[in-house]
Structure formats: C-alpha cells, structure tokens
Amino acid sequence: MYHCNGHPVQLILFDIDGTLLWPKGAGRESTRAAMREVFGSEGSLNDHHFGGKTDWFTLAELLRESGHTADDIGRRMPEYEQVIAHHLGNMIGDFPIAPCPGALDLVRELITRNWLLLGLITGNVSTTAPLKLRAAGFDPAWFAVGAYGSESTNRNDLPFLALERAEQLRGHPIAAQSVIIVGDTPADVACARAVGAVSVAVNTGFSSRESLEATQPDYLLDDLTTFFSQVLSQPARTGR
Ligand SMILES: [Mg+2]
C-alpha cells in the first residue's frame, strides 16, 4: 500500500484538462457550438479562462448578460450535455489532444493496485469527460468514480461528491487524509483543502507556478513523471 503524508492512500482524484491531458482547443470549440445551439449565445467565450471552473459556472458567467441565471442553466443541463457531447464527438478528431507528460504511465501503473481507487474531479460535464480521455489514450473505465462540472457551479462541492461515491463503491468510509487530489490550478488546490485531502498541484496547465505556489499545495510537481517519487512512499514492512 502507498502512503502519503503518513496516511495510507485509498483514493486519487484527477482533474482532466491541463493535468491528465491537453485539450488543444477542443473544449472551447465544442462549448461554442453547444452554447449557440442550446442558449443562442456564446457570450465572450473567446476571452474566457476555463481553468479551475466548472462548466456550469462558465456558462453562468458567459450567459449572465443574455439573461440566463445559473438556475436556468442547471435546468437545461441535461439537454446541454447531450448537445455538447454530440458536437465534441464530431469535431474531436480535428484537435491534437495529447496526454500530459507522465500521465498515461502513472494512471496505467496505479490501476494495477486493486486496493486503490482512481477518480475524476473535473470542470467538464459528465458527457465530454470520457470523450476527451479516450482521445488522449485513457480508458474512462480506469476511473471508478467521478464528479463533474455539470453537477455544481462550485468546484469545491465536487470532492465531496466523488468521495461519497467512492465510499458507496467500497462499502466503507474513506478518511479525507487518504485521498489525493491532483490538478493544475489554484482552484484544484482549494477544492482539495475544502474536503481535507492531500493536494498535488502539477505545473502542466494554464496557471503560473507562482500562482500555484501561492496556494501552498502539499506537493507542487513540474509534471506527473515525478508523482511516484515525490508524492507516494511505500513504507518498509515491519515484523517478521
Ligand atoms: Mg485543469
């Protein structure tokens, strides 16, 4: 069993964009097509900074001027999820989506440990997350639980959902100190802190190293190639 900060690790939750993979514009363009179709507007999408936000929050920000409230958007989320998945599915081959350095090797290694659960905490809606993962070479089934950007406007709600789902799956409580949350933005560090999990910031996304340092994550990595050596330890066996 791996340990981290003195606790056995039971659940590792990964952000997607900028952490596991680089979407290379696929997210923005599929969002544009879906917003136009469902809400008739894309707002100031071109200047929008997606990092760390949930897609529901992004839609609420972009559509405020055209009179859509966060609640309205929430009610139409099931429709939006269908529409954006359709658009992303059609266009995804046009974008050179790629895994971040070390991400595929890390996840492939971690899924061989049956005492460990992997999951997702992502701003992506639940229908686009698996499409992006597959395009970058990840099998979405490797991630046993997830919490998505279609489920709250507040990213800090997502780790609680993911943890609850992991506990249901395992059939026993999981201590927050046994959970690691990996992400590329200050918002990922904040959501780890909200639930009491270990935070691992990885500098492969769209946030500056300084902005990540300022949030004082438990670990700050250049990329996921050093996750094993810097974050996890395997304590020596004691006894006979
Ligand atoms: Mg991210």
Side-chain angles (χ1 to χ4, degrees):
M1 182 162 255
Y2 301 126
H3 280 61
C4 177
N5 289 0
H7 297 276
V9 179
Q10 296 183 61
L11 174 64
I12 304 180
L13 297 166
F14 290 93
D15 168 58
I16 294 181
D17 297 303
T19 301
L20 289 178
L21 59 86
W22 289 310
K24 304 280 189 180
R28 190 178 304 268
E29 291 316 310
S30 55
T31 298
R32 187 189 314 282
M35 285 182 75
R36 282 180 180 165
E37 184 172 335
V38 176
F39 298 103
S41 169
E42 61 179 62
S44 50
L45 179 67
N46 283 336
D47 306 321
H48 187 73
H49 185 72
F50 282 85
K53 297 171 182 170
T54 72
D55 278 5
W56 188 350
F57 184 86
T58 284
L59 292 175
E61 267 195 339
L62 293 176
L63 294 168
R64 191 178 300 131
E65 275 186 20
S66 46
H68 299 276
T69 67
D71 284 347
D72 295 336
I73 294 162
R75 275 188 288 277
R76 300 188 69 179
M77 189 56 76
E79 177 192 358
Y80 180 81
E81 287 200 281
Q82 293 307 310
V83 171
I84 192 172
H86 174 77
H87 285 294
L88 181 60
N90 282 344
M91 65 175 68
I92 201 162
D94 299 338
F95 296 89
I97 296 178
C100 292
L104 258 180
D105 286 345
L106 172 64
V107 172
R108 279 206 185 103
E109 180 68 25
L110 292 175
I111 56 168
T112 65
R113 314 294 201 252
N114 60 9
W115 39 263
L116 181 64
L117 279 182
L118 301 189
L120 302 166
I121 290 188
T122 173
N124 286 280
V125 300
S126 66
T127 53
T128 56
L131 297 177
K132 283 184 178 175
L133 287 170
R134 230 176 259 121
F138 299 88
D139 183 346
W142 292 343
F143 303 91
V145 295
Y148 299 94
S150 42
E151 299 191 284
S152 179
T153 55
N154 184 352
R155 194 180 191 93
N156 287 357
D157 291 340
L158 300 185
F160 293 93
L161 294 174
L163 180 55
E164 188 183 307
R165 288 163 188 167
E167 289 176 331
Q168 273 169 11
L169 197 62
R170 281 298 198 225
H172 60 72
I174 297 172
Q177 304 96 302
S178 293
V179 180
I180 299 176
I181 295 181
V182 190
D184 67 304
T185 69
D188 297 279
V189 177
C191 88
R193 197 158 285 142
V195 76
V198 176
S199 55
V200 177
V202 60
N203 193 29
T204 47
F206 307 100
S207 304
S208 66
R209 172 172 274 276
E210 294 69 33
S211 71
L212 292 173
E213 272 169 359
T215 63
Q216 299 186 293
D218 292 288
Y219 298 90
L220 174 53
L221 310 180
D222 289 334
D223 60 42
L224 289 177
T225 59
T226 58
F227 187 91
F228 267 105
S229 58
Q230 292 198 46
V231 178
L232 300 180
S233 60
Q234 289 178 284
R237 288 180 190 284
T238 54
R240 289 164 292 172

